[in-house]
Amino acid sequence: MNTDIAVLNSRFGIENQVVFKTISEDFLVVEINNAHATASISLQGAHLMNWALKGGEPVIWMSQEASFKAGKSIRGGIPVCWPWFGGHSTDSSKPAHGFARTALWEVIQTEALKEGATLIAFRLIQNDANHDGWPYSSELEIHFIVGESLRVDLVTRNTGETVITIGDALHTYFSVSDVRNITINGLDGCPYLDKVDGSEQKKHQVGAVKFDQETDRIYLESTEDCVIDDPGLKRRIRISKLNSESTIVWNPWIEKSEQMGDMGQDGYLKMVCVESANAADDVVHLAPGDKHHLWVRYSVE
Ligand code: BG6
């Protein structure tokens, strides 16, 4: 991959709209600024770090204590979980949520779209390190359209000769006024696995999701839009998705945040993760030559 900023800017930069920069030693990001919105994405993990509508509050949460270092996942933004969600099913020495979020990706396309939005696409760079954890032949791309809404398409292609099985998630951290005062609609009636009580037994969501303690749930059979209703910021964030039947709702609350060490002072009050996923039993089997699109649109109402 070419990590030379000047080369990236000359190949993929768009004047006043797409600019590549270094934010700390060897940590490259691309900044997007168009008629509708601003965003930035790091090349490590193809990790969207922020997105805000022009004149609006940030939609995506980024921890004040996030570190931007090679090989370390970023606390906030949209980590890409792939090719498994959570712990590896048979080998606990493999990284949680897969390796895509800490791997380097290459830019493959940028385009100023007619509607005023910006398209930017990345491809995961396969190397020996990630090949150890995933000895299959596959290609992973992510396409962002940054505009009045944020559209993300995570595309897995099976380029090998055997069926592959993947889990994936867009582990999105949303910025909220106070997690204790928001509700999440769209999950009513869905069965869920409650990771906080360690229970294998499925519960069912009744009504909206509210927060007054650590929450870590994998909702199954979840295909409807989720809407984060935030009266404090007078906004609703709508999450619409395709080819995903699970949604993870996560807030670490006080103790877990302290253990994690990169959530920042009271950071847990200012965020909630609503992750569009294929998780738990909701994995995707891909025949040779097939592809899977995990597609999500985020919009503000
Ligand atoms: C969520 C999981 O998706 O991610 C949680 O459900 C986990 O159990 C959280 O704690 C954060 O994971 P990580 O690896 O980024 O600290």
Side-chain angles (χ1 to χ4, degrees):
M1 193 202 49
N2 205 320
T3 50
D4 185 309
I5 293 279
V7 175
L8 281 168
N9 275 315
S10 84
R11 271 194 76 192
F12 295 108
I14 301 177
E15 204 178 351
N16 299 325
Q17 190 170 151
V18 176
V19 178
F20 292 84
K21 290 188 172 160
T22 308
I23 55 166
S24 62
E25 204 190 338
D26 286 341
F27 205 89
L28 300 184
V29 299
V30 53
E31 291 184 349
I32 296 150
N33 183 359
N34 60 36
H36 304 295
T38 54
S40 62
I41 303 171
S42 90
L43 272 70
Q44 172 171 298
H47 190 129
L48 183 129
M49 293 162 44
N50 54 61
W51 169 58
L53 294 173
K54 281 280 161 81
E57 299 284 332
V59 181
I60 302 294
W61 181 82
M62 177 56 67
S63 170
Q64 290 176 343
E65 299 290 327
S67 61
F68 304 106
K69 288 194 188 118
K72 175 143 174 44
S73 65
I74 302 169
R75 185 66 64 198
I78 310 186
V80 173
C81 304
W82 186 94
W84 56 84
F85 176 82
H88 187 274
S89 59
T90 56
D91 183 350
S92 60
S93 69
K94 297 213 162 93
H97 295 324
F99 52 82
R101 63 178 174 164
T102 51
L104 264 185
W105 296 55
E106 61 186 331
V107 182
I108 53 173
Q109 191 188 353
T110 52
E111 192 180 333
L113 302 178
K114 282 201 194 76
E115 57 188 271
T118 310
L119 172 112
I120 180 157
F122 301 82
R123 184 186 297 131
L124 178 81
I125 300 171
Q126 299 282 354
N127 59 25
D128 290 348
N130 53 40
H131 200 258
D132 274 355
W134 182 245
Y136 305 103
S137 193
S138 60
E139 258 178 29
L140 184 65
E141 289 184 6
I142 191 164
H143 299 227
F144 294 92
I145 297 180
V146 176
E148 271 181 303
S149 63
L150 171 67
R151 284 165 277 173
V152 188
D153 190 8
L154 182 70
V155 190
T156 308
R157 275 193 202 85
N158 182 352
T159 51
E161 305 289 318
T162 53
V163 173
I164 58 171
T165 300
I166 60 151
D168 55 6
L170 296 173
H171 189 311
T172 309
Y173 290 74
F174 292 97
S175 176
V176 296
S177 57
D178 184 327
V179 76
R180 295 166 297 189
N181 299 330
I182 64 162
T183 51
I184 299 177
N185 289 290
L187 295 163
D188 186 27
C190 291
Y192 65 89
L193 302 170
D194 191 347
K195 290 172 77 176
V196 170
D197 80 0
S199 152
E200 289 297 307
Q201 178 124 24
K202 288 186 189 143
K203 303 175 184 173
H204 281 81
Q205 180 64 32
V206 179
V209 183
K210 296 180 181 162
F211 301 85
D212 59 7
Q213 59 183 321
E214 182 186 354
T215 304
D216 191 356
R217 302 175 180 171
I218 302 181
Y219 285 92
L220 306 167
E221 299 168 29
S222 154
T223 53
E224 299 294 310
D225 289 5
C226 283
V227 177
I228 303 171
D229 201 337
D230 188 343
L233 283 175
K234 296 193 179 57
R235 75 176 179 195
R236 291 189 302 175
I237 301 171
R238 179 173 294 274
I239 304 152
S240 311
K241 58 181 185 161
L242 294 173
N243 305 321
S244 150
E245 293 191 1
S246 28
T247 300
I248 293 84
V249 175
W250 179 61
N251 183 290
W253 218 250
I254 305 166
E255 247 175 65
K256 208 33 99 52
S257 292
E258 281 168 3
Q259 289 160 14
M260 285 160 60
D262 59 359
M263 284 293 292
Q265 179 74 25
D266 290 339
Y268 77 98
L269 290 175
K270 297 286 175 191
M271 58 67 70
V272 68
C273 284
V274 181
E275 309 167 33
S276 302
N278 293 281
D281 291 342
D282 169 32
V283 285
V284 177
H285 304 289
L286 276 181
D290 279 1
K291 55 184 181 172
H292 168 73
H293 288 259
L294 169 60
W295 182 92
V296 184
R297 183 184 58 225
Y298 306 99
S299 49
V300 181
E301 303 173 341

